[in-house]
Amino acid sequence: GGSNAPHACLPNRQERQRRFPLLTVSSFPCVVATSLQQDVSIHGSECAVFYRQEPPAEPLGFSTVAINYVYELTTKKRQEVPSPVPISELIGQLPVVQGRSRPIKVLNRLTVVMSEASPFVSFPLENRPNDAEYRAFDLLAIQPTTEKLFHTSCMLCEVDIICISVTEKLPFFFKRAPINGAIDRGVVFEVSYASALRDSTMRRYTIANAVCLMESCKGKNVIVSSAAEKALDLRGPYDIINLGALFGLSDADSKEAVSSTCRAVLLHAETRKTASGIVSTRKSQQEGLQDCVGS
Amino acid sequence: MRVSSLQKMRAGAEEAESSGYQRVVLKNASPHHYLRVRLVLEDESTRVSAVDLKTFITSCLRSLFGEVGAALNVDVLKYDEETLTALLRVPSRGLVKLWSSLTLQGFYQNQACAFRVLQVSPFLLALTGNSRDLQLD
């Protein structure tokens, strides 16, 4: 038989127009980040939530989705970190993962775009990812725009994902040393492909930057995600695996970039909330404790 | 001298093979790959004819891979205008090019579009059944 490309679950279109870049991941445990270009305060933006069409037109085949909030840092003034909208407000009924019986997982992700260490941000440079503002996000990503910050984020920062910019010529060249350091720590590099769908210049930048990255990191610890802003910007996982060949990845690396490396990122993100990945804490019921004390 | 020794080696090999069985290895025997794709458009009432689709695919190839890509022999074997689903055939060496150019195409005549690649196989018979739609009740 042939390889049937899996389908992705697209949420249904809803009456109220709230625009959201929602990326669905298939029975591949892929994390795809959609970028929500907006001001820091989410309430001012227009979002559209896409729901599965009736009848289910095309399940694209993903099992985990991440909604991305972009937070641009400037050193000029203090900005609020956006707080994520609870998932239940965005989507009523989560579509079921194709071939399984559980619904898809939707996570929140924060991408910090930085060019230098800012006095206003404590994280990620001081390694305090458990600040209240950042706790609400399941995944943390950083997009460095200078070489110095790239080096720092590879070696020191407590992030899960380092985004490679695809909308402009690379501002710096990749060096083997920080990249190997990041690979040892379990941090992954991300290339996004939605901008390549719009413009031929963007396409050139995407492919050029991705090829550059693959040469330096030899195809390890890479994820390919969509920064989709609407449902039509999504592509199925096998399409992206095929795209990996354009970026210089081998077949196996390409498939990993969509499946096992993404799962590794999710696990890495979960362990940030724990102590060395072993112990985690959770709020317990308070009444039980008081009863014990009283008696 | 060298040539004659090579010939002797080949002759020797042939003799050895003819005494027993013959092993035939087919590498990538299928000359074509078949794809079932569907074009999803923003405006769902747009009509796309088969000729339009073929022109569109050639332009996708040209925008990503240039004239060499556009020279690839893509055939539209079947086309359903209602659902905009097509069966394409492409030589195997051009599969990656065609597939990636369909993936990276975002616009059809100023409206957003997406190519959903439903099935890919080197054998046409395999496209008749889709195990992912199987209902096991």
Side-chain angles (χ1 to χ4, degrees):
Chain A
S3 72
N4 297 331
H7 313 287
C9 290
L10 287 177
N12 296 325
R13 195 171 292 271
Q14 216 189 18
E15 263 63 52
R16 44 191 176 130
Q17 287 296 299
R18 273 167 55 191
R19 190 172 182 74
F20 241 108
L22 187 63
L23 196 54
T24 55
V25 180
S26 64
S27 48
F28 288 81
C30 324
V31 172
V32 190
T34 60
S35 99
L36 177 63
Q37 289 301 328
Q38 53 147 7
D39 296 323
V40 176
S41 78
I42 188 174
H43 305 290
S45 61
E46 286 288 309
C47 321
V49 186
F50 298 101
Y51 282 61
R52 182 177 29 187
Q53 296 158 5
E54 304 274 13
E58 326 150 5
L60 271 178
F62 290 108
S63 72
T64 317
V65 183
I67 303 182
N68 191 12
Y69 295 78
V70 178
Y71 174 41
E72 298 232 14
L73 268 186
T74 54
T75 50
K76 303 286 186 269
K77 59 181 170 78
R78 165 116 219 177
Q79 281 174 332
E80 295 287 320
V81 177
S83 64
V85 179
I87 304 292
S88 45
E89 276 182 36
L90 291 178
I91 316 157
Q93 174 76 18
L94 289 174
V96 173
V97 179
Q98 182 183 30
R100 310 268 173 85
S101 56
R102 61 177 173 83
I104 60 174
K105 229 160 62 154
V106 182
L107 306 170
N108 285 314
R109 168 186 147 154
L110 178 70
T111 301
V112 182
V113 182
M114 285 170 75
S115 57
E116 57 187 20
S118 156
F120 296 117
V121 68
S122 58
F123 153 85
L125 300 167
E126 289 177 29
N127 294 345
R128 287 203 305 217
N130 283 328
D131 276 351
E133 311 160 314
Y134 304 107
R135 233 176 214 276
F137 292 101
D138 303 300
L139 291 164
L140 290 173
I142 187 172
Q143 184 168 344
T145 44
T146 55
E147 167 130 43
K148 189 157 165 291
L149 192 63
F150 179 74
H151 188 98
T152 322
S153 53
C154 282
M155 309 296 270
L156 296 177
C157 287
E158 289 279 330
V159 283
D160 304 311
I161 299 170
I162 297 180
C163 304
I164 306 296
S165 85
V166 290
T167 49
E168 52 177 8
K169 191 163 163 329
L170 267 184
F172 51 87
F173 287 113
F174 294 119
K175 302 247 167 61
R176 284 279 163 87
I179 290 192
N180 286 338
I183 292 176
D184 289 334
R185 282 180 56 212
V187 179
V188 303
F189 299 97
E190 182 205 39
V191 178
S192 70
Y193 64 81
S195 43
L197 302 175
R198 289 184 205 126
D199 199 8
S200 74
T201 322
M202 294 295 146
R203 228 187 263 184
R204 243 185 301 136
Y205 287 143
T206 310
I207 297 179
N209 295 357
V211 168
C212 220
L213 172 70
M214 304 310 169
E215 276 171 16
S216 313
C217 73
K218 299 203 205 67
K220 292 204 279 190
N221 277 39
V222 174
I223 61 173
V224 180
S225 75
S226 147
E229 284 169 18
K230 42 191 202 291
L232 282 177
D233 280 348
L234 297 174
R235 295 293 180 264
Y238 280 109
D239 296 336
I240 310 176
I241 291 173
N242 190 261
L243 221 51
L246 276 192
F247 294 159
L249 287 174
S250 71
D251 283 341
D253 287 340
S254 201
K255 185 158 189 189
E256 262 179 41
V258 171
S259 56
S260 52
T261 316
C262 292
R263 187 163 152 72
V265 172
L266 295 181
L267 294 175
H268 188 268
E270 275 179 27
T271 58
R272 257 190 302 108
K273 295 200 169 104
T274 68
S276 305
I278 302 170
V279 179
S280 69
T281 58
R282 202 174 40 181
K283 264 205 171 100
S284 65
Q285 301 293 334
Q286 293 298 327
E287 307 86 74
L289 204 56
Q290 282 167 358
D291 280 336
C292 290
V293 172
S295 67
Chain B
M1 286 287 278
R2 196 169 279 190
V3 171
S4 61
S5 66
L6 272 176
Q7 280 173 343
K8 274 192 213 139
M9 270 169 58
R10 261 188 243 130
E14 278 166 13
E15 280 169 10
E17 287 221 60
S18 60
S19 62
Y21 56 85
Q22 189 188 25
R23 186 175 70 159
V24 176
V25 175
L26 287 179
K27 289 186 195 173
N28 201 15
S30 175
H32 296 289
H33 265 77
Y34 300 88
L35 296 100
R36 188 190 298 266
V37 300
R38 180 201 331 206
L39 181 58
V40 178
L41 294 168
E42 204 175 4
D43 176 15
E44 283 162 24
S45 58
T46 321
R47 309 231 51 112
V48 182
S49 72
V51 177
D52 287 339
L53 184 80
K54 176 78 198 290
T55 326
F56 183 47
I57 291 176
T58 316
S59 68
C60 297
L61 278 166
R62 183 181 295 117
S63 67
L64 191 59
F65 291 103
E67 295 295 338
V68 172
L72 203 52
N73 262 333
V74 180
D75 301 314
V76 179
L77 299 179
K78 264 197 146 84
Y79 180 57
D80 181 5
E81 276 212 39
E82 306 299 315
T83 54
L84 298 182
T85 310
L87 202 61
L88 304 177
R89 179 181 67 178
V90 70
S92 298
R93 60 176 168 78
L95 175 69
V96 174
K97 281 194 180 141
L98 175 68
W99 198 348
S100 49
S101 55
L102 293 181
T103 304
L104 286 182
Q105 185 63 28
F107 287 97
Y108 173 67
Q109 292 178 1
N110 300 331
Q111 56 172 306
C113 78
F115 265 106
R116 303 285 180 219
V117 175
L118 304 170
Q119 291 169 293
V120 178
S121 173
F123 307 109
L124 194 50
L125 190 60
L127 297 187
T128 54
N130 189 351
S131 65
R132 286 174 203 261
D133 291 340
L134 199 58
Q135 298 284 341
L136 292 170
D137 279 331

